[in-house]
Amino acid sequence: MRVDRLLSILLILSNKGLVTGKELADHFEVSLRTIYRDLDKLGEAGIPIASKGGKGGGYYIMENYNLDNLFLDKGEAKTFLSVMNSLDVMFGRNEKFNDIVLKLENAYKKTDSEGDKVNINMSHFSMEKELKEYLYTMSKAIEEDKLLIFYYINRRMEYEKRVVEPIEIEFNNGQWYLTAFCRIRDDYRLFKLVRIKNLKLGTSFEKRQISKEELKKVFDDSYTHNSTLVKLKFTKAIGKQLTEYFHKEDINKIDDGNFIVEASYPNDEGLIKFILGFGKECEVIEPKELRKRTKKYLEMMLGKYLN
């Protein structure tokens, strides 16, 4: 039984007052028997849902029992609504999302004088205009099992056309990503949204059956295969900030007060740029080949300023 459907039933009953079982079944595209089981489950949870027979009858939540009696007090509800409204950047044109926000606002009677305590900005400075449209198009493609067609700039700054079967959208480490099966590469890929250009919907496709666990293993295996163990030395000046970039278990303080970090990373130019982002506070210790490449990269950079 899906928790999101149970919550949605509660929101609908709270907002409309009286709803028939058939209306709920049609809305969620399930059988009447499934709706009856859902209502029984809500009753077992202590929600006083009553029914009215005959013409014009239906199900309703008993008087003096509002949504805010369920699991959120007024302060918690205001915080939750602040978060939901901040997520408008992703769901701005999604009718289901907007319906939930409106129902919650109605249930908790939020007033204009009640300021938001939480504000989440999930946009990206270089794509503020495109972000909402891209996320909406991706969401639509996932819901309707449609291909996505776009041009992608890879780490080697190559501009390539991609045709993908979208799976999910993820916000991770301050960046939006699209998980999809790439028909050009014939494999599963993560696409950084800021590198996607000219995004368009394609034709319908038959969705591949792969679990989240299987998908995670695909990416973990790919990461391990293309990664190398890197040993970095950091000065004590930046030591307290290292947990912003590395796992605690990868950080070790040494006798002179400096720090050693050992972790696996894809061995490409992006790694060198990441390392150089720490400036003089970081030194590559191992592997030797990466140390040589970093030195050569620095010499090339310096050469631009010696002429």
Side-chain angles (χ1 to χ4, degrees), residues 17-81:
L18 191 66
V19 184
T20 68
K22 185 177 185 307
E23 287 175 329
L24 291 172
D26 290 343
H27 179 83
F28 294 105
E29 298 181 349
V30 296
S31 67
L32 264 175
R33 180 178 295 181
T34 297
I35 292 298
Y36 294 151
R37 284 201 299 263
D38 288 350
L39 293 171
D40 287 341
K41 198 70 176 179
L42 291 171
E44 292 173 7
I47 311 302
I49 295 178
S51 63
K52 180 180 178 181
K55 188 176 181 180
Y59 293 92
Y60 63 96
I61 297 179
M62 294 179 66
E63 191 177 354
N64 298 323
Y65 197 94
N66 296 319
L67 185 61
D68 55 346
N69 296 119
L70 295 177
F71 50 86
L72 300 176
D73 60 30
K74 190 174 183 180
E76 292 169 336
K78 286 194 295 182
T79 299
F80 181 66
L81 281 168

